[in-house]
Amino acid sequence: MCTVKTNHWVFSRDTIFNDNFGSKLLSDFVVQNPNIQRFTENGVIFEGDKEVTEFDVVKMATGYTWKFPFLEEDILETEEGRINLQKCMFPPHLPHATLAIMGFILTFGPGFPSGELQARWVTQILAGKCKLPSKEAMFKDIKKRHK
């Protein structure tokens, strides 16, 4: 099995591997390669290579995009394909904290505890017992997280 080496740090994108991935890399069952330069009749030529690496099957995945078709387009601001949300929940540019996107996080473990914490925090915000920071502070935090 072969995989193309990613341009991103391992935890900067959504994870797509399981507990067996590391052992497959260590045993050379999965080999990371540079990007594909071109396809040939029997395989591919990777960038920087002159020889064909033969394959029977090539699986290509294009990923996916986050969409919220039930919201007007200007409700969520995006930047470089990322949605700007304070703590992955609140759109900072809205005049009032009346919208929260819950469950829009990637947990390394069970999702229910994180979901419960989000629900508690949103409840406190909506009840007026807790306030969001200023827009400037929220955007600063978002940029830090994206970096």
Side-chain angles (χ1 to χ4, degrees):
M1 180 178 197
C2 182
T3 182
V4 177
K5 188 173 182 177
T6 180
N7 293 330
H8 307 286
W9 180 68
V10 67
F11 292 124
S12 69
R13 297 287 182 174
D14 295 343
T15 53
I16 57 168
F17 47 83
N18 62 22
D19 294 344
N20 295 322
F21 190 75
S23 65
K24 299 297 183 189
L25 279 172
L26 290 172
S27 67
D28 289 333
F29 184 76
V30 172
V31 179
Q32 291 185 323
N33 288 300
N35 290 327
I36 295 172
Q37 180 181 358
R38 67 184 172 95
F39 288 92
T40 66
E41 186 175 325
N42 299 335
V44 299
I45 298 177
F46 291 105
E47 287 181 357
D49 286 352
K50 295 183 193 269
E51 298 176 15
V52 174
T53 302
E54 292 187 6
F55 288 104
D56 294 327
V57 176
V58 175
K59 291 183 181 181
M60 298 184 70
T62 58
Y64 53 89
T65 58
W66 300 105
K67 294 193 183 221
F68 298 88
F70 48 87
L71 295 176
E72 294 178 20
E73 288 188 28
D74 62 340
I75 297 292
L76 297 178
E77 289 183 347
T78 60
E79 190 174 326
E80 297 179 13
R82 294 178 287 226
I83 299 173
N84 290 329
L85 294 172
Q86 169 67 7
K87 302 297 182 192
C88 301
M89 292 174 43
F90 291 98
H93 67 283
L94 295 181
H96 305 287
T98 56
L99 174 68
I101 308 293
M102 295 178 52
F104 195 58
I105 55 174
L106 176 67
T107 60
F108 296 101
F112 288 114
S114 301
E116 182 178 346
L117 286 173
Q118 284 187 323
R120 289 176 184 225
W121 188 38
V122 169
T123 303
Q124 295 296 308
I125 298 268
L126 294 176
K129 295 181 179 182
C130 188
K131 292 190 184 275
L132 290 174
S134 69
K135 287 183 186 182
E136 295 79 23
M138 288 192 282
F139 278 114
K140 184 179 178 183
D141 184 62
I142 290 167
K143 286 184 192 266
K144 181 181 175 184
R145 183 175 46 84
H146 285 179
K147 187 178 180 184

